[in-house]
Amino acid sequence: MSFQVPPILAYALRRLLQAVPVIILIMIGTFLLVKLAPGDTVDALVGDMGGADAKFIENLRIEYGLDKPVWVQLWTYMAKLAQFDFGWSFVYEQPVSTVLMDRLWVTMTLMSGSLFFAFTIGIALGALAAWRVNSLTDNVISTLGLIFYATPSFFLSLMMIVLFSVKLGWLPVAGIKTIGGFYTGWDYVLDVAKHLVMPIAALSLIYLSFYLRLMRASVLEISDLDYVRTARAKGADGARLMFHHIIRNALLPVVTLLGVQFSAVLGGSVIVETIFSLPGLGQLAYQSVVQRDMNTLMGIIFLSSIIVVLVNFFTDLLYARLDSRIELA
Amino acid sequence: MAGAAVLASTLPAASEDPKRGGTAVIHVVSEQRTLNPALRASTGVYYMSGKIVEPLIDKTYDGVVGVLATDWSSSDDGLEITFKLREGVNWHDGKPFTCDDVSFTAMNMWKELLNYSSTLQQNLEAVDCPDPHTAVFKYSKPMPLDLMVAAMPDLGHPMPKHLYEGTDILKNPYNTAPVGTGPFKFVEYERGQYVMAERNDDYWRGEEYPYLDRIVWRFIKDRSAAAAALETGEIHESGFIGVSMADVERLSKDDRFTVGTQGYENNVAHTTLEFNHRSEPLADLRVRQAIAHGLNIDDAIQTIMRGFAKPGKGPVPSTGGVNYTDDVQTYPYDVEKAKALLDEAGYKPDADGVRLKLRHRPAPWGEYTQLWAEYYAQAMKEIGIEVELLTNDAPGFLNGVYRDHDFDTANGWHQFRSDPAVSTMVWLRSGAPVGTPWTNQFGWQSDEMDKMIDDAASELDPEKRAAMYHAIQAKAMAELPVLFAIEHPFISVTSKKLKNHHNTPRWNSSSWYDLWLDE
């Protein structure tokens, strides 16, 4: 009796192995790109300090291993990374893994929250608009989508702050929790949720418009296909036709977009995280570039590459689930 | 115009009785990497750690006062400086503060690791402890007592020996969780969010101090969001120009806030224009003078700095005490004179009216410096100089100017640190190794100036010393190695609920033991 690997596992394993060289290339590329930028960690450190003398600067460079050639630095880094050692952040004076783990949940909450709202509300509104095509409902939804799409997230964020924090006083301006609130349990969750309302709204509204437009177009396209006409001829009524026959198929391109956008949201979150002072990976990535904090930056990129690989993997699984004609291969 | 005048009227009335309790929340723009002031001399570090770790000496509007030191004196030859240390002071972990701590910190941190201090203390040979509350600093060359005392508020924070001895000092976890003797005890540092400190019940000034229960420093990168947080009352103070100049002006008209430059007299900086003397046109004094005459400083102060500044008169600011003089050459705005000087130097306008082209690197230290660079480029057009702006982030700027010398002109800040010897003169003295930021990397070379600086640094007589610094300023303004164009202090926006604020010349770096909250 031979051992049978379930096809899904074999598929996962193969995908993972394929990702390894990709991630290595990404890491080397990023390392060299950042090294091309003028200045290093010590320059940034000394800049923040307001100056230092030559001996001090030289000591720091030796301490951080920056006196060695770039290839040596790259080799040292990759060798450590192979053992999942992310190194030490000279900027935060902590191990990079600690810095990353402190921030990861904020970004993941922000990303999944905003993608969830964008996706669910987006496809609902898109389907509704397509169902009532060319009606007042459709026009209102489409116009709203256009406005969200055209409004930059920083502007939206600041306007929300002015309205909901400064004028109405309903929501906190910045941060992830009330400092000195010392909340625990549900009070803590509620407090964090309050802090995340505006950032999630700001980040999701733009993406919402993508899903809305894509879903509307997709539903409209599918409504004209032969099998839908057949179903209608066989007497399927409105709701059944919509949910059972149209939406399930219309979702395919939207799911593709979801996979792609998961990686894009990380970029979009830089602005939102900065404005709302959320201690997330997006802001950390930006700061790491400005401060030439190589280890932290590389750690973030490593983590993000893995997330993107995983998300793509799950997208493919979802694909297969939605349309059984698609095989895992 | 609101400038200095606003704050003066809002110092607390004597009749108000301080209230105990409350949490002051303070805005910090960029995150600090360390909270150990014996390793990093920077206002950003003192802003937080100054409440937790105290220096030997602090500065008030009445002059220097002892904090952890009670008395100081120098031997006649200047080779020994003796500090009497305060008795009955405990570290936050309960261990007593003694001369051992001072000796350990001085030899291992101030002399070896602290920026600027390793120059100041390079002749320090040993710190002896004849008894637990006496520290004797021994030097191989005379150390002026004035200089030492002036440097101590910034470069004289002892750290507890028992927590550092035998460890890798740079990686010691107490660098981001400091244990000091100050009115507040460190509680926690959440990266990217806040630093929190709470009341030290065992504070040596007596149990009525400090008034506050807690201080929280919040990191808010976005300056517009910070202004909004001030307005909603989520934060009580934003220092070091933490909000945009437009918001500074707007909030200065809001009667919930006090906006002003008081409390920064010891942190005054100059907005500069720096010349690369290796670049042929700028090696000519007439060209540098022409540029100086082509800048309308008063106009720039009103439009860019919204009135919160004054014209610069050399490397020492007007808050520099006896070492400052305003008896120096100045360069009033005069386009015709500027053009005449350029003609004289041989730079005639071509068909497009362009006399020469310069590549300019503006420092990315915020809105202020960028606007000043843009103004400079615009003003130079008037006198026929075409300025190309090369914008970089901080490491890029520091490299371009201080290591690669790849610029014709540059602009940034030059911060004064209590005494001209501490950091001010490094811009004028030649011989700094390539790549050292904020030193003379401009290629200006004057043996006469080098000698004047060296002589002043070891002069023990305060009066002679002051006269020597006056001469240096006069020479710096006559020969324009760099133009100290505008003397600009920092600006704070403070909620009126905070009381006893900005009452010392380095207030945001000080301990805040008497700060209280009225709410």
Side-chain angles (χ1 to χ4, degrees):
Chain A
M1 202 177 91
S2 67
F3 177 70
Q4 277 281 321
V5 182
I8 175 96
L9 260 185
Y11 175 72
L13 210 67
R14 197 168 63 246
R15 284 288 297 262
L16 220 63
L17 282 178
Q18 283 169 348
V20 171
V22 173
I23 290 177
I24 291 179
L25 277 178
I26 292 176
M27 300 306 281
I28 294 178
T30 321
F31 192 94
L32 295 179
L33 261 178
V34 177
K35 284 288 169 192
L36 274 180
D40 59 20
T41 315
V42 173
D43 289 313
L45 272 172
V46 170
D48 260 20
M49 259 180 244
D53 38 76
K55 191 183 135 214
F56 176 83
I57 292 172
E58 200 190 309
N59 285 345
L60 266 187
R61 271 215 173 90
I62 294 170
E63 164 87 19
Y64 296 173
L66 292 168
D67 53 332
K68 301 197 181 79
V70 171
W71 298 109
V72 178
Q73 291 180 39
L74 176 62
W75 175 249
T76 320
Y77 182 80
M78 295 304 283
K80 272 191 176 169
L81 190 67
Q83 306 160 40
F84 289 95
D85 176 0
F86 291 99
W88 182 266
S89 163
F90 299 117
V91 169
Y92 294 98
E93 298 292 353
Q94 277 184 321
V96 170
S97 50
T98 313
V99 178
L100 292 185
M101 287 309 139
D102 281 356
R103 308 270 185 137
L104 186 63
W105 73 272
V106 176
T107 300
M108 290 313 274
T109 315
L110 184 63
M111 273 169 85
S112 39
S114 49
L115 277 180
F116 174 76
F117 284 113
F119 186 75
T120 50
I121 301 175
I123 57 171
L125 286 178
L128 184 65
W131 198 14
R132 302 265 171 86
V133 66
N134 293 333
S135 70
L136 179 67
T137 321
D138 179 25
N139 286 338
V140 170
I141 291 175
S142 298
T143 313
L144 269 182
L146 204 63
I147 292 173
F148 293 150
Y149 178 69
T151 314
S153 57
F154 79 89
F155 181 73
L156 206 61
S157 307
L158 289 175
M159 288 306 107
M160 282 198 286
I161 289 180
V162 169
L163 180 64
F164 295 111
S165 303
V166 178
K167 296 285 177 229
L168 298 170
W170 291 349
L171 294 168
V173 174
I176 186 72
K177 63 177 186 192
T178 306
I179 302 160
F182 303 113
Y183 296 119
T184 50
W186 284 108
D187 288 340
Y188 177 76
V189 175
L190 197 72
D191 184 48
V192 170
K194 255 172 95 176
H195 282 81
L196 281 171
V197 170
M198 287 195 290
I200 286 182
L203 199 55
S204 61
L205 281 179
I206 285 187
Y207 294 104
L208 189 148
S209 58
F210 285 130
Y211 294 112
L212 189 163
R213 288 151 65 97
L214 195 65
M215 189 65 188
R216 182 176 176 274
S218 181
V219 167
L220 283 179
E221 193 190 320
I222 287 169
S223 306
D224 279 347
L225 294 183
D226 287 347
Y227 77 89
V228 177
R229 212 173 297 151
T230 312
R232 198 178 282 132
K234 285 165 79 179
D237 71 335
R240 183 176 165 79
L241 191 69
M242 194 67 192
F243 287 106
H244 202 77
H245 295 276
I246 301 179
I247 288 191
R248 186 159 170 178
N249 287 294
L251 270 178
L252 280 177
V254 183
V255 169
T256 318
L257 185 70
L258 182 68
V260 174
Q261 278 199 335
F262 208 86
S263 28
V265 172
L266 193 63
S269 66
V270 175
I271 296 166
V272 170
E273 282 178 15
T274 305
I275 292 178
F276 292 101
S277 295
L278 294 177
L281 286 184
Q283 211 200 127
L284 186 69
Y286 171 72
Q287 284 305 310
S288 305
V289 174
V290 172
Q291 297 171 326
R292 307 283 189 271
D293 187 0
M294 281 303 283
N295 288 350
T296 306
L297 184 67
M298 298 288 286
I300 295 171
I301 287 168
F302 185 74
L303 210 60
S304 329
S305 333
I306 293 196
I307 292 175
V308 170
V309 166
L310 284 180
V311 166
N312 277 326
F313 172 66
F314 287 120
T315 316
D316 287 352
L317 285 188
L318 194 62
Y319 241 73
R321 177 78 189 80
L322 281 173
D323 186 343
S324 41
R325 284 170 302 176
I326 299 171
E327 279 177 36
L328 292 175
Chain B
M1 276 281 61
V6 178
L7 243 164
S9 60
T10 58
L11 280 176
S15 60
E16 279 185 288
D17 283 327
K19 286 184 190 152
R20 270 271 295 120
T23 300
V25 186
I26 310 299
H27 171 219
V28 179
V29 176
S30 54
E31 188 148 2
Q32 290 305 315
R33 319 164 134 98
T34 171
L35 295 174
N36 182 347
L39 291 183
R40 301 282 156 79
S42 124
T43 45
V45 173
Y46 310 137
Y47 200 10
M48 291 176 275
S49 68
K51 327 302 173 255
I52 300 161
V53 180
E54 291 175 302
L56 292 178
I57 296 173
D58 200 357
K59 199 158 181 194
T60 69
Y61 283 125
D62 300 326
V64 288
V65 293
V67 180
L68 291 181
T70 52
D71 191 36
W72 42 88
S73 57
S74 168
S75 63
D76 291 340
D77 58 7
L79 294 176
E80 268 187 26
I81 291 179
T82 305
F83 288 97
K84 279 283 172 200
L85 304 178
R86 192 172 296 279
E87 297 186 32
V89 177
N90 289 326
W91 296 104
H92 292 153
D93 63 4
K95 299 251 173 23
F97 160 73
T98 67
C99 175
D100 282 345
D101 300 309
V102 177
S103 170
F104 177 82
T105 314
M107 295 309 292
N108 296 289
M109 298 192 206
W110 299 353
K111 183 177 161 67
E112 295 298 323
L113 300 167
L114 181 58
N115 48 324
Y116 287 124
S117 186
S118 47
T119 311
L120 179 78
Q121 306 288 7
Q122 64 181 348
N123 300 322
L124 177 66
E125 305 257 279
V127 180
D128 290 350
C129 295
D131 69 71
H133 296 102
T134 306
V136 183
F137 285 64
K138 299 203 157 164
Y139 291 90
S140 58
K141 284 186 187 156
M143 167 65 103
L145 183 63
D146 279 10
L147 168 57
M148 182 72 166
V149 168
M152 281 298 102
D154 281 344
L155 304 177
H157 295 77
M159 298 302 286
K161 179 184 178 184
H162 61 277
L163 299 178
Y164 279 91
E165 195 175 29
T167 68
D168 179 349
I169 291 177
L170 285 176
K171 285 196 177 168
N172 189 304
Y174 290 103
N175 291 338
T176 49
V179 170
T181 61
F184 296 92
K185 290 195 284 191
F186 174 84
V187 179
E188 61 180 332
Y189 177 2
E190 284 265 359
R191 300 298 193 284
Q193 298 183 61
Y194 62 87
V195 171
M196 190 191 290
E198 66 179 12
R199 183 174 207 275
N200 172 13
D201 290 323
D202 181 33
Y203 190 45
W204 57 266
R205 279 185 210 264
E207 61 184 30
E208 73 265 36
Y209 296 118
Y211 294 128
L212 292 169
D213 283 340
R214 206 178 285 129
I215 301 177
V216 170
W217 294 267
R218 285 187 65 179
F219 305 119
I220 301 179
K221 191 93 200 153
D222 188 86
R223 289 163 194 262
S224 312
L230 275 166
E231 286 185 89
T232 60
E234 280 183 48
I235 53 179
H236 294 112
E237 193 221 352
S238 175
F240 299 104
I241 325 182
V243 297
S244 71
M245 289 310 289
D247 281 326
V248 165
E249 198 176 27
R250 188 169 61 85
L251 295 175
S252 71
K253 295 184 185 110
D254 187 326
D255 58 14
R256 291 173 297 165
F257 301 101
T258 301
V259 177
T261 60
Q262 187 173 332
Y264 289 107
E265 288 79 358
N266 251 44
N267 299 125
V268 168
H270 282 103
T271 291
T272 56
L273 190 65
E274 299 144 28
F275 307 110
N276 188 351
H277 296 265
R278 296 171 193 85
S279 160
E280 194 208 328
L282 297 165
D284 190 329
L285 176 62
R286 289 168 297 192
V287 175
R288 304 200 295 273
Q289 286 176 332
I291 291 174
H293 279 299
L295 291 167
N296 189 344
I297 304 286
D298 291 322
D299 206 35
I301 289 173
Q302 289 314 319
T303 52
I304 302 170
M305 286 75 171
R306 322 252 167 173
F308 292 92
K310 50 175 132 177
K313 295 263 174 74
V316 179
S318 61
T319 54
V322 290
N323 294 316
Y324 169 77
T325 177
D326 62 1
D327 183 18
V328 294
Q329 188 173 340
T330 54
Y331 301 86
Y333 179 55
D334 188 339
V335 172
E336 290 317 310
K337 193 162 181 194
K339 285 180 179 166
L341 279 163
L342 287 172
D343 281 337
E344 207 183 301
Y347 295 97
K348 306 272 187 218
D350 66 7
D352 300 327
V354 176
R355 296 163 185 271
L356 64 122
K357 293 182 179 176
L358 297 178
R359 297 166 70 248
H360 181 81
R361 284 193 189 271
W365 317 145
E367 197 189 355
Y368 231 79
T369 39
Q370 295 291 329
L371 289 175
W372 168 241
E374 279 162 32
Y375 167 70
Y376 160 68
Q378 246 173 50
M380 287 303 102
K381 240 181 226 161
E382 301 273 308
I383 61 170
I385 299 179
E386 198 177 296
V387 177
E388 182 197 353
L389 296 180
L390 310 167
T391 308
N392 280 119
D393 65 359
F397 167 79
L398 293 174
N399 261 277
V401 174
Y402 292 94
R403 196 188 65 198
D404 301 336
H405 306 144
D406 176 25
F407 69 108
D408 293 314
T409 54
N411 77 294
W413 288 350
H414 179 261
Q415 199 173 350
F416 182 70
R417 292 173 193 250
S418 314
D419 186 275
V422 180
S423 71
T424 313
M425 293 305 150
V426 291
W427 270 38
L428 304 175
R429 201 195 182 292
S430 63
V434 168
T436 322
W438 292 285
T439 60
N440 178 3
Q441 299 288 332
F442 311 113
W444 191 64
Q445 166 75 47
S446 161
D447 294 339
E448 201 190 335
M449 182 62 106
D450 290 355
K451 189 176 177 319
M452 288 165 86
I453 290 170
D454 294 345
D455 289 349
S458 56
E459 175 57 54
L460 298 176
D461 180 351
E463 234 169 84
K464 278 191 206 156
R465 199 167 173 261
M468 290 164 109
Y469 282 119
H470 296 169
I472 289 172
Q473 283 158 68
K475 191 173 167 65
M477 282 309 275
E479 298 185 19
L480 289 182
V482 27
L483 179 62
F484 297 93
I486 295 170
E487 177 183 321
H488 83 80
F490 291 101
I491 302 166
S492 283
V493 179
T494 317
S495 161
K496 286 195 176 156
K497 287 178 184 165
L498 276 189
K499 306 286 174 179
N500 273 351
H501 61 86
H502 296 87
N503 54 5
T504 74
R506 55 190 294 280
W507 187 74
N508 272 317
S509 302
S510 72
S511 79
W512 295 5
Y513 69 90
D514 60 349
L515 180 66
W516 60 280
L517 196 58
D518 188 16
E519 62 178 12

